[in-house]
Amino acid sequence: MPLRVFSDPTALADHAARHIAHLLTRKPDATLCLASGETPIATFRALVELAQSGHANLDRCTFVGLDEWVGMGPTDEGSCSYYLFRDLFAPLQIRPEQIHYFDAKAADLTAECRRIDAVIHERGGLDLLLVGIGMNGHIALNEPGTPFTNYCHISELAETTITVGQKYFSTPTALSHGITLGLQHLMEAHEVILMASGERKAEVIRQALHGPVTEQFPASIIQKHPNAHIWIDAACDNG
Ligand code: PGA
């Protein structure tokens, strides 16, 4: 597995941002799917700086949403799309037609899944999928036990996800389901980056890279992807 360990979270974020900028130089109309959550925030800020200083151009790319809490949207503080809009789309004035996000408030969530599946299919797959890892090994909201062969689907959230997910909200928030890209999308993405930083993620990263490949630990699927990078900081590295 191509693992790279960076000295600190800033070095990790700078590298990831430059990597995205470079991809967009090669393929300006690339389809990107970027995780929300704490891990990529510094990467988004670094990417915004690159764009604002003329070193990255995000005018022609397309963004596909990775996941969302069912019942929430971009204006709900703590939602997955909230962070993307705050840290990336708003500062870069990304046009609405560049953004294909789940409507997790839709009456028919299954139709919403098929709509996003179709967007990805029509664009020939994801050029880049950047994900973090959950404390239970989840990728996006693919919880332990999710079939590797799933495309977009509704997931019942694991207890760990509900508990850890409270960090995104200023008050205790009821979470029960997510709408998410599936791991088959990950397998079909042209390139995958799994990012993690900090000591608390060291054990799940170790398990993802060196444990058995099993649906009980979704991130282990990364071992099967032919073009995956695992980028972590030194605090997250326990071999
Ligand atoms: P985090 O979330 O970046 O906020 O730690 C990662 C995840 O749950 O996938």
Side-chain angles (χ1 to χ4, degrees):
M1 280 274 88
L3 170 71
R4 262 188 86 167
V5 182
F6 294 85
S7 53
D8 55 49
T10 306
L12 169 64
D14 285 347
H15 181 80
R18 281 198 306 274
H19 186 88
I20 296 170
H22 185 65
L23 165 66
L24 292 170
T25 307
R26 283 198 327 263
K27 189 171 182 190
D29 63 347
T31 304
L32 310 178
C33 180
L34 309 177
S36 60
E38 263 178 293
T39 308
I41 289 176
T43 300
F44 297 159
R45 298 207 168 130
L47 188 56
V48 168
E49 275 177 29
L50 286 176
Q52 289 175 343
S53 60
H55 296 97
N57 187 336
L58 289 91
D59 290 349
R60 289 180 52 205
C61 62
T62 296
F63 295 93
V64 176
L66 179 66
D67 53 9
E68 187 55 279
W69 310 113
V70 164
M72 293 193 198
T75 55
D76 296 305
E77 190 174 359
S79 71
C80 302
S81 44
Y82 176 85
Y83 292 101
L84 267 300
F85 277 88
R86 185 192 70 180
D87 296 328
L88 197 63
F89 301 156
L92 293 179
Q93 297 176 300
I94 300 295
R95 301 184 312 282
E97 61 269 27
Q98 290 178 270
I99 303 171
H100 298 272
Y101 265 61
F102 289 111
D103 176 2
K105 298 185 182 195
D108 187 345
L109 291 171
T110 304
E112 197 52 22
C113 288
R114 299 296 77 81
R115 183 179 73 81
I116 297 294
D117 283 343
V119 168
I120 296 170
H121 182 72
E122 279 155 20
R123 299 195 56 82
L126 300 170
D127 291 296
L128 175 68
L129 174 61
L130 184 149
V131 292
I133 182 171
M135 294 304 288
N136 61 355
H138 76 199
I139 292 279
L141 290 172
N142 291 276
E143 300 287 24
T146 306
F148 283 165
T149 49
N150 271 16
Y151 286 103
C152 292
H153 60 280
I154 312 301
S155 75
E156 192 177 332
L157 300 176
E159 277 307 318
T160 307
T161 301
I162 293 169
T163 307
V164 175
Q166 298 303 316
K167 69 179 175 175
Y168 305 120
F169 301 92
S170 49
T171 53
T173 300
L175 301 170
S176 64
H177 290 80
I179 183 166
T180 180
L181 252 64
L183 295 170
Q184 187 61 34
H185 285 303
L186 179 146
M187 283 309 292
E188 292 175 14
H190 301 306
E191 182 178 32
V192 179
I193 299 171
L194 171 59
M195 278 176 72
S197 65
E199 201 182 339
R200 77 197 163 92
K201 292 283 177 77
E203 177 50 28
V204 282
I205 282 290
R206 195 200 57 74
Q207 218 177 316
L209 301 190
H210 305 297
V213 176
T214 164
E215 291 174 349
Q216 295 310 317
F217 198 81
S220 62
I221 196 173
I222 201 83
Q223 296 178 34
K224 292 177 28 157
H225 195 283
N227 190 23
H229 311 281
I230 295 91
W231 294 341
I232 63 176
D233 67 1
C236 188
D237 181 24
N238 76 355

